[in-house]
Amino acid sequence: MLARIVTDGQEHKNAFSVYDPTMGSGSLLLQVKNFIVDSPTLNLTNKIQYFGQEIKNQTYNLARMNMILHGVSSAQQHLRFGDTLGVDWPSDEPTTFDAVVMNPPYSQKYDASEGLLMDPRFASFGKLPPKSKADYAFLLHGFYHLKDSGTMAIVLPHGVLFRGSSEEAIRKKLLEEGKIYAVIGLPAGIFYSTPIPTCILVLKKNHTSRDVLFIDASKEFKKEGPRNFLLDEHLNKIFDAYKERKSIEKFSYLASLEEIQAQGFNLNIPRYVDTSEEEEEINLEGVFTELLSLETEEKQLKSELNEYFQQLGLNYEI
């Protein structure tokens, strides 16, 4: 889903670059090639440039091996072992990319030292995300490395949509500048690492209308055992709604900045997409009629039982 979103409208570029600052084994990076089309001068093998960073050495080596196994040449892979939030990378050309994809660790602690306020990744926001929750730190890092014409998609916990303090200030600035393009709520239980529901935030730098598309896909899954799975039919429904960018009853809503301002810049999806089902009207007259009928049947049954007890010579009455 993330790869499909970030490549949308860019499938035919003569060259394409993608960056994952928390790449893990590189699987998300490699998904991008499934949605890029060969160009007249370059085939897919040479067309895509992959950039990624990973803090765990063993996982970093897995990513390198994964690239090789998928036929990505050394000239096309630019992978680094390092701390994404510690020292900014890439710092040499290229520093911005056509697509940024991320599934970072959720609500992780990080070193939110005051020196980071001078870092160009965070400086323009005037505040740092709380040191106990690095979610927006990862988001701002990835967004800093996005081209003006590019698209970023990041998976995060729902808390980023409504938490206050410095996170609210960052969210407000992103919204006022029209950087948040879409919010997609996902079902719970679709990741091995966590059972909690998550959301996709889609960001663009060239989105001028400042409206935000909300999609509630929390019910779009197939349950198998303890886990939930997004099937092709679910993915297609979500992506079609993303592409159409319009309100669909009980599934999506295109909210203006004014509507979001009225909600205090809270992006909690149920505030915009009403998925509640109307309760069935109760016919009170019918209920009373049924109760009277049951009461009559009860009296008749008691009478029949008492008569039966008398026939048996039992001195017993209900």
Side-chain angles (χ1 to χ4, degrees):
M1 176 57 66
L2 268 66
R4 196 171 176 183
I5 286 171
V6 299
T7 55
D8 181 45
Q10 305 190 85
E11 304 95 330
H12 298 277
K13 280 191 170 182
N14 287 331
F16 189 87
S17 59
V18 57
Y19 175 44
D20 185 347
T22 57
M23 68 176 176
S25 62
S27 298
L28 182 50
L29 278 173
L30 288 165
Q31 280 290 329
V32 167
K33 68 178 180 178
N34 296 325
F35 302 98
I36 296 294
V37 179
D38 283 342
S39 66
T41 55
L42 293 173
N43 60 32
L44 284 180
T45 306
N46 302 314
K47 184 176 179 178
I48 305 174
Q49 296 287 331
Y50 300 91
F51 291 78
Q53 185 164 235
E54 171 56 39
I55 196 170
K56 296 179 180 177
N57 188 39
Q58 186 176 6
T59 312
Y60 160 73
N61 287 319
L62 279 175
R64 294 173 64 195
M65 186 181 301
N66 207 4
M67 289 280 168
I68 294 169
L69 291 173
H70 283 83
V72 179
S73 69
S74 58
Q76 268 61 59
Q77 50 176 295
H78 314 272
L79 310 183
R80 182 176 183 267
F81 167 52
D83 180 359
T84 290
L85 299 181
V87 179
D88 186 24
W89 181 86
S91 54
D92 299 320
E93 293 294 334
T95 60
T96 57
F97 308 95
D98 296 304
V100 175
V101 289
M102 296 181 73
N103 185 13
Y106 306 144
S107 301
Q108 179 175 282
K109 293 180 180 179
Y110 78 112
D111 182 17
S113 60
E114 288 189 11
L116 281 180
L117 280 172
M118 303 298 292
D119 191 304
R121 296 174 292 174
F122 312 111
S124 64
F125 290 87
K127 292 180 179 290
L128 291 174
K131 62 181 180 181
S132 61
K133 294 179 176 65
D135 302 317
Y136 271 104
F138 283 116
L139 183 150
L140 293 180
H141 171 88
F143 190 65
Y144 175 74
H145 288 285
L146 182 68
K147 285 183 180 180
D148 289 345
S149 58
T151 303
M152 173 179 170
I154 180 171
V155 183
L156 289 171
H158 278 254
V160 300
L161 303 177
F162 54 79
R163 289 194 298 244
S165 191
S166 61
E167 290 184 299
E168 181 180 358
I170 293 168
R171 185 170 64 246
K172 179 181 177 183
K173 183 174 175 61
L174 287 168
L175 287 164
E176 289 178 332
E177 295 181 353
K179 308 307 184 186
I180 299 179
Y181 187 75
V183 177
I184 304 171
L186 299 174
I190 60 172
F191 293 109
Y192 286 107
S193 56
T194 178
I196 65 170
T198 54
C199 61
I200 298 173
L201 266 65
V202 182
L203 297 98
K204 291 177 180 283
K205 291 185 175 178
N206 62 355
H207 178 52
T208 56
S209 67
R210 298 191 297 175
D211 52 14
V212 178
L213 178 70
F214 293 86
I215 298 175
D216 186 344
S218 59
K219 298 177 182 177
E220 301 299 317
F221 64 88
K222 179 181 180 183
K223 189 169 186 62
E224 291 186 8
R227 292 193 60 224
N228 298 326
F229 292 86
L230 289 165
L231 304 181
D232 285 345
E233 63 193 74
H234 304 128
L235 295 173
N236 290 335
K237 182 178 178 180
I238 296 167
F239 185 72
D240 288 346
Y242 170 81
K243 283 280 289 181
E244 290 176 9
R245 198 165 179 77
K246 64 182 182 182
S247 299
I248 301 171
E249 187 177 2
K250 298 188 181 301
F251 189 66
S252 66
Y253 185 77
L254 185 61
S256 66
L257 179 62
E258 290 72 26
E259 290 176 287
I260 295 170
Q261 286 174 327
Q263 293 289 344
F265 296 96
N266 187 319
L267 299 181
N268 202 16
I269 298 171
R271 290 185 177 229
Y272 304 94
V273 183
D274 181 11
T275 59
S276 61
E277 298 291 339
E278 291 185 9
E279 292 186 10
E280 185 179 348
E281 287 189 12
I282 298 173
N283 184 346
L284 291 177
E285 186 177 342
V287 171
F288 287 132
T289 301
E290 187 174 351
L291 286 173
L292 287 172
S293 174
L294 290 172
E295 188 177 341
T296 302
E297 289 180 13
E298 183 187 15
K299 288 180 180 178
Q300 179 66 29
L301 181 61
K302 284 182 179 180
S303 177
E304 291 176 359
L305 286 172
N306 288 333
E307 185 178 346
Y308 179 64
F309 291 149
Q310 289 178 2
Q311 292 174 358
L312 292 175
L314 297 174
N315 187 20
Y316 184 81
E317 187 173 310
I318 295 176

